[in-house]
């Protein structure tokens, strides 16, 4: 199968590697150009808030489309190599239906890349984000209707006595189902985002899982099934190539942002493979973390609970001051307040901010911590009569040497929350998947933003951004193993 003279799969693998190398080289080369035209943003999860180029997913998507376009003739090499391809007696008549499927897939992907880039530039509203994937999926729906047209589903064993049959034809509802799948896949990647590497990382895990499934089943002996597996491989191998190169630049500490363009591009790639590759149910199993994240986020997505513009976890600063130092600073503040000394009012206010900031460890306190360390080091310097140069060295180097940042769950208030939203949050609290803050009277004041990223932080405690990304990828990998177990070990219980 992997021999070049028999299959184009080896050529696809080589093209994918070249596409990955091209992405790896062109992404850093395009950074200054993107910044110059205003496609940039601050990384709010870093203490210094560096400005990074945004929408770099369009570079990976463009290279992917070029690679897949160049691969079109290779798929039909057997037809090109025939003695007389146009002869009606030639057993290898050109497969127009297969070419139509491949071109419709590329058309949907190209449309979604364009719409995703428009979202990055114009910041479209959510109603358009639901409408645009529907429009982009029309080509594959038409090709599915003309070329395949199967709309029946197999009924599970326990429902067959109720329905009196083992097959149900859904008709138009089936096309509604696969259309909604395209909408869900494109937005599911976009919703589970917000930290370095998580969008590309989860996409790579899902793609590799599908590739493993296809490689394991490509030699099943069924010609139609073999074509479906190869069709999926032809689309996903270049995707993994460009995504792996992009992940190198986007993983912590990120040098670029991928933008909504990549999220829509990745989601539509999976939707196209699931629909035209005829494994939509297996695809949904691989998307279980995204399904959970959508259901978990539903109260905020549908306006039942206040939803801020960005729900990503917030940065917290590890406290570099020992507890005894914080206690001493507070004692000095209390003493200054009792004596009312005018000469020490300026340093007193600095100590107040420093002590509170060091005690809470919240983001944005770097200057306050530096002031506190300076005051503390100067106090020790006066007692020990150290040189001024030594004091300056310690006061400027200590914060940078010991300061570390972590991610903590961001929160939202219940101002304007609907009664149904409050009931859902109470249910989440009972299930242990929501951290609700209450006042002295027991009234709910705030709750963590309802995303999987924040839930991991609620259950695990504070994590570095890299650790949080690794946790999400681990969840995705474990889910892939669970999906394959359900698909190949438990399916015979419900279907036989």
């Amino acid at each position: 199968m992997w021999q070049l003279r028999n299959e184009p799969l080896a050529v696809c693998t080589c093209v994918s590697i070249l596409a990955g190398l091209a992405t790896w080289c062109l992404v850093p080369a395009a950074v200054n150009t993107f910044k110059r035209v205003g496609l940039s943003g601050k990384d709010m999860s870093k203490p210094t808030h560096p400005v990074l180029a945004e929408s770099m997913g369009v570079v990976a998507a463009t290279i992917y489309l070029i690679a897949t376009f160049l691969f079109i003739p290779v798929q039909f090499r057997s037809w090109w190599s025939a003695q007389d391809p146009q002869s009606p007696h030639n057993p290898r008549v050109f497969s127009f239906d297969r070419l139509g499927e491949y071109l419709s897939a590329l058309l949907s992907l190209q449309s979604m890349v364009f719409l995703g880039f428009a979202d990055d530039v114009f910041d479209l509203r959510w109603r358009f984000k639901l409408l645009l994937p529907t429009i982009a999926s029309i080509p594959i729906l038409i090709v599915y209707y003309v070329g395949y047209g199967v709309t029946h589903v197999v009924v599970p064993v326990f429902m067959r006595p109720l329905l009196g049959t083992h097959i149900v034809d859904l008709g138009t509802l089936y096309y509604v189902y696969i259309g909604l799948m395209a909408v869900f896949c494109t937005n599911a990647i976009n919703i589970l985002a917000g930290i370095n590497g998580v969008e590309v990382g989860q996409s790579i895990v899902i793609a590799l899982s599908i590739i493993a499934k296809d490689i394991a089943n490509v030699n099943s002996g069924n010609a139609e099934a073999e074509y479906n597996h190869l069709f999926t491989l032809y689309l996903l191998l270049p995707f993994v190539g460009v995504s792996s190169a992009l992940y190198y630049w986007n993983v912590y500490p990120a040098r670029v942002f991928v933008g909504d363009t990549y999220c829509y591009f990745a989601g539509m790639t999976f939707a196209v493979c699931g629909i035209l590759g005829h494994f939509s149910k297996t695809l949904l199993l691989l998307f279980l973390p995204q399904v959970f994240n959508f259901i978990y986020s539903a109260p905020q997505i549908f306006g039942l609970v206040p939803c801020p513009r960005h729900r990503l976890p917030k940065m917290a600063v590890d406290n570099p001051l020992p507890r005894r130092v914080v206690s001493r600073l507070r004692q000095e503040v209390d003493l200054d307040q009792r004596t009312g000394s005018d000469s020490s009012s300026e340093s007193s206010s600095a100590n107040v901010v420093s002590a509170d900031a060091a005690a809470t460890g919240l983001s944005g306190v770097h200057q306050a911590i530096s002031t506190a360390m300076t005051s503390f080091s100067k106090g020790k310097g006066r007692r020990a009569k150290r040189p001024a140069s030594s004091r300056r060295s310690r006061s400027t180097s200590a914060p940078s040497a010991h300061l570390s940042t972590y991610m903590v769950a961001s929160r939202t208030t219940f101002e304007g929350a609907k009664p149904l939203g409050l009931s859902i949050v109470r249910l989440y609290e009972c299930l242990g998947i929501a951290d609700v803050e209450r006042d002295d009277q027991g009234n709910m004041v705030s709750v963590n933003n309802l995303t999987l990223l924040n839930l991991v932080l609620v259950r695990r405690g504070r994590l570095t951004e890299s650790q949080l990304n690794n946790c999400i990828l681990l969840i995705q990998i474990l889910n892939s193993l669970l999906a394959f177990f359900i698909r190949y070990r438990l399916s015979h219980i419900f279907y036989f």
Side-chain angles (χ1 to χ4, degrees), residues 93-232:
V93 179
F94 190 80
S95 301
F96 288 100
D97 54 343
R98 296 187 177 183
L99 177 62
E101 286 189 3
Y102 192 78
L103 293 180
S104 67
L106 297 185
L107 179 58
S108 293
L109 289 173
Q110 186 175 357
S111 301
M112 205 65 248
V113 170
F114 171 76
L115 298 175
F117 188 70
D119 186 21
D120 282 332
V121 175
F122 300 110
D123 194 16
L124 302 177
R125 296 179 180 271
W126 267 105
R127 59 175 175 266
F128 298 113
K129 295 182 180 182
L130 297 177
L131 177 63
L132 296 180
T134 305
I135 298 175
S137 64
I138 291 177
I140 58 176
L141 294 180
I142 296 298
V143 169
Y144 183 89
Y145 173 78
V146 174
Y148 196 68
V150 175
T151 59
H152 62 263
V153 294
V154 180
V155 179
V157 175
F158 61 90
M159 294 184 62
R160 291 176 185 176
L162 299 177
L163 299 177
T165 181
H166 68 285
I167 293 179
V168 173
D169 189 1
L170 298 179
T172 305
L173 292 178
Y174 191 85
Y175 292 97
V176 175
Y177 156 69
I178 58 179
L180 291 177
M181 172 176 289
V183 176
F184 170 76
C185 291
T186 52
N187 287 281
I189 303 295
N190 194 26
I191 295 175
L192 186 53
I195 62 172
N196 295 166
V198 69
E199 301 98 328
V200 187
Q202 62 181 308
S203 301
I204 293 176
V205 173
I206 296 174
L208 290 177
S209 301
I210 299 174
I211 289 174
K213 173 190 73 69
D214 290 326
I215 292 177
N217 296 279
V218 71
N219 288 326
S220 60
N222 187 316
E224 185 66 25
E226 179 180 349
Y227 165 73
N228 291 333
H229 293 306
L230 289 175
F231 174 84
T232 305

Side-chain angles (χ1 to χ4, degrees), residues 307-328:
C307 182
R309 178 67 179 84
H310 296 289
R311 300 184 298 163
L312 67 158
K314 65 180 181 179
M315 180 185 64
V317 181
D318 190 24
N319 186 4
L321 297 177
R323 292 182 180 272
R324 58 182 179 83
V325 176
V326 176
S327 177
R328 180 187 167 192

Side-chain angles (χ1 to χ4, degrees), residues 276-491:
L276 297 182
H278 309 293
F279 61 96
S280 58
K281 295 185 289 295
T282 304
L283 182 64
L284 287 179
L285 290 176
L286 295 173
F287 266 79
L288 283 181
Q290 287 74 21
V291 172
F292 171 82
N293 184 64
F294 174 77
I295 297 175
Y296 184 60
S297 303
Q300 287 188 310
I301 294 176
F302 296 106
L304 302 178
V305 175
C307 182
R309 178 67 179 84
H310 296 289
R311 300 184 298 163
L312 67 158
K314 65 180 181 179
M315 180 185 64
V317 181
D318 190 24
N319 186 4
L321 297 177
R323 292 182 180 272
R324 58 182 179 83
V325 176
V326 176
S327 177
R328 180 187 167 192
L329 288 173
R330 286 177 172 168
Q331 291 176 2
E332 291 180 358
V333 170
D334 294 338
L335 180 61
D336 290 341
Q337 289 177 345
R338 287 195 299 268
T339 58
S341 174
D342 295 336
S343 61
S344 62
S345 60
E346 184 175 341
S347 63
S348 217
S349 61
N351 286 341
V352 170
V353 178
S354 302
D356 293 339
T360 58
L362 297 176
S363 60
V365 299
H366 306 87
Q367 184 177 0
I369 292 176
S370 178
T371 304
M373 292 294 291
T374 302
S375 302
F376 178 63
S377 61
K378 285 184 178 180
K380 291 189 68 174
R382 282 195 296 269
R383 289 191 298 271
K385 296 183 179 181
R386 293 185 177 180
S389 60
S390 176
R391 295 197 301 268
R392 283 196 300 269
S393 175
R394 174 169 180 167
S395 64
T396 57
S397 63
S400 61
H402 300 286
L403 192 64
S404 57
T405 58
Y406 294 86
M407 306 300 293
V408 296
S410 59
R411 308 187 67 83
T412 184
T413 63
F414 288 102
E415 183 179 356
K418 303 295 191 297
L420 178 59
L422 296 176
S423 301
I424 295 176
V425 171
R426 292 191 187 98
L427 176 62
Y428 285 174
E429 186 181 20
C430 294
L431 296 176
I433 57 175
D435 180 25
V436 179
E437 179 185 2
R438 300 178 180 270
D439 58 16
D440 296 336
Q441 288 74 34
N443 299 318
M444 294 190 299
V445 177
S446 67
V447 66
N448 61 281
N449 281 311
L450 304 177
T451 65
L452 182 59
L453 293 173
N454 287 304
L455 177 59
V456 171
L457 292 170
V458 167
R459 302 301 301 176
R460 290 286 308 275
R462 66 180 189 178
L463 298 170
T464 64
E465 191 171 2
S466 178
Q467 291 172 338
L468 180 57
N469 178 55
N470 292 336
C471 286
I472 298 299
L473 297 187
L474 179 60
I475 292 174
Q476 194 70 59
I477 293 172
L478 294 177
N479 176 75
S480 296
L481 298 177
L482 175 64
F484 290 145
F485 178 76
I486 295 175
R487 172 65 180 82
Y488 296 106
R489 288 290 181 261
L490 297 183
S491 60

Side-chain angles (χ1 to χ4, degrees), residues 21-81:
L21 293 175
T23 304
W24 186 80
C25 295
L26 291 180
V27 165
V31 167
N32 292 333
T33 302
F34 276 60
K35 288 183 177 180
R36 187 167 57 251
V37 298
L39 291 174
S40 60
K42 293 183 179 180
D43 191 346
M44 303 305 295
S45 300
K46 306 295 186 300
T48 57
H49 301 322
V51 177
L52 306 179
E54 288 185 339
S55 306
M56 297 304 293
V58 71
V59 177
T62 301
I63 297 175
Y64 172 86
L65 290 173
I66 294 174
T68 50
F69 288 155
L70 294 176
F71 183 67
I72 292 176
V74 180
Q75 295 187 60
F76 305 98
R77 189 181 67 86
S78 60
W79 184 83
W80 292 107
S81 61

